[in-house]
Amino acid sequence: MTLTIATDRRANLFGSLWMIASMGAFAIEDAFVKAASATLPIGQILILFGFGGALVFAGVALVSREPLFTAAVVSRTMRLRVFFEIIGRLFYILAISLIPLSAATVILQATPLVVVAGAALVFGERVGWRRWAAIFLGLIGVLIIVQPGTDGFSTLSILAVIGMIGFAGRDLASRAAPASLGTAILGLYGFLSIVVAGVLFSVWQAAPFVQPDVKTWLVLSGAVLTGVSAYSCLMKAMRTGEISAVTPFRYTRLIFGVAFGVAFFGERLSTSMLIGSSLIVVSGLFILWRGKQVKLAN
């Protein structure tokens, strides 16, 4: 019994470290993408970033001898996952290129709240009134950050909200994705979705492509490498420790994102952002804690 508890704690510790590494890498990826947006059109960034990540995951799949295409890839669930991935990536990258990185990162932290609400509505999972109250409290935190109807409101912040909803839809679709699809294949088609998003946006924007200089190529390469690493660390985290123990460390992305925004882009934290982010984090942590209590009671 003691050995089992010690093993579980060790797994949770390493799972938490993988999650922190993942969130740090995602924040670095965001910073690279925001830096690239200063010289390249958004559509071109999406295309180059998506192709780079897809090539890496395709290589991993080939080395692991995983087939790049099976019938499961075009299942209804995977089609939904690709759709939401396109929405999430497109609007979130638009957000981090047009609004402060810290603000976009904070809004993104509401994703777990929307996932829990979606799980109740789509999968019929039981969510009691306490967790529903926490979800609404977290969404109020988003409204405090966005500030609709006030002088501080920026319509561009809606981009981050749409991106967050897209990522929540992707996560819900991932839960129902065929178990036969491994991390590399999910990563491959996730990054190919980014390419599709880039092509669609480029057609709509009709902006001419720009020849990247050496510095921009290095920035894009950094975005690809950190993006792939972040995704891989996230999958490792979710498969190492207990989900209830590992998931709270998702919120470390907020710390990394805000820190990078302040340090590298000269952003300032407003009172509304601090209050809103606090409500989002507290709500998310309560939902995770309450979910664990419900499982123990059952």
Side-chain angles (χ1 to χ4, degrees):
M1 181 67 176
T2 303
L3 180 60
T4 301
I5 294 175
T7 302
D8 289 343
R9 287 178 177 175
R10 182 181 176 84
N12 289 338
L13 172 62
F14 281 103
S16 301
L17 292 175
W18 280 117
M19 181 63 77
I20 293 172
S22 172
M23 295 301 104
F26 273 126
I28 295 172
E29 172 203 312
D30 292 345
F32 276 133
V33 170
K34 186 173 181 65
S37 68
T39 56
L40 295 181
I42 298 299
Q44 185 176 356
I45 292 174
L46 287 165
I47 292 171
L48 294 175
F49 176 66
F51 265 127
L55 286 174
V56 173
F57 276 116
V60 172
L62 290 173
V63 170
S64 304
R65 296 185 178 181
E66 294 182 63
L68 299 183
F69 181 82
T70 61
V73 168
V74 292
S75 63
R76 182 174 180 272
T77 302
M78 282 298 291
R79 294 198 301 271
L80 282 173
R81 187 180 188 274
V82 167
F83 170 77
F84 282 115
E85 182 83 61
I86 290 172
I87 298 298
R89 286 288 188 172
L90 173 58
F91 283 94
Y92 184 65
I93 288 182
L94 279 170
I96 62 178
S97 64
L98 297 173
I99 68 174
L101 176 62
S102 53
T105 302
V106 169
I107 292 173
L108 185 66
Q109 303 314 302
T111 302
L113 305 178
V114 179
V115 169
V116 172
L121 298 174
V122 177
F123 296 118
E125 292 188 10
R126 182 182 176 186
V127 176
W129 69 268
R130 294 180 182 85
R131 280 189 284 179
W132 276 117
I135 290 170
F136 284 118
L137 182 63
L139 296 180
I140 288 173
V142 174
L143 291 177
I144 291 174
I145 295 169
V146 177
Q147 300 182 61
T150 68
D151 293 336
F153 173 67
S154 170
T155 53
L156 295 176
S157 60
I158 300 298
L159 297 172
V161 176
I162 297 174
M164 177 266 293
I165 293 172
F167 284 137
R170 178 202 62 187
D171 289 351
L172 286 169
S174 296
R175 291 185 61 178
S180 60
L181 298 177
T183 299
I185 299 301
L186 291 176
L188 167 62
Y189 286 95
F191 274 91
L192 287 178
S193 302
I194 302 174
V195 176
V196 174
V199 171
L200 293 175
F201 189 73
S202 295
V203 172
W204 178 83
Q205 190 181 34
F209 280 13
V210 176
Q211 176 62 42
D213 56 21
V214 175
K215 180 181 178 181
T216 304
W217 276 119
L218 290 174
V219 169
L220 285 172
S221 299
V224 170
L225 292 175
T226 52
V228 169
S229 299
Y231 191 90
S232 301
C233 288
L234 178 61
M235 295 299 101
K236 185 72 174 177
M238 299 305 289
R239 294 176 177 180
T240 300
E242 296 173 306
I243 293 178
S244 59
V246 172
T247 300
F249 289 91
R250 277 181 176 268
Y251 290 105
T252 56
R253 183 170 183 172
L254 187 151
I255 298 173
F256 289 117
V258 169
F260 292 155
V262 172
F264 299 117
F265 300 103
E267 299 171 3
R268 294 185 178 182
L269 302 180
S270 63
T271 302
S272 61
M273 188 184 298
L274 292 172
I275 294 174
S277 61
S278 298
L279 290 177
I280 292 171
V281 172
V282 169
S283 300
L285 293 176
F286 175 80
I287 287 172
L288 291 168
W289 173 81
R290 184 60 189 171
K292 188 174 182 179
Q293 296 299 112
V294 171
K295 288 182 179 179
L296 290 174
N298 293 334

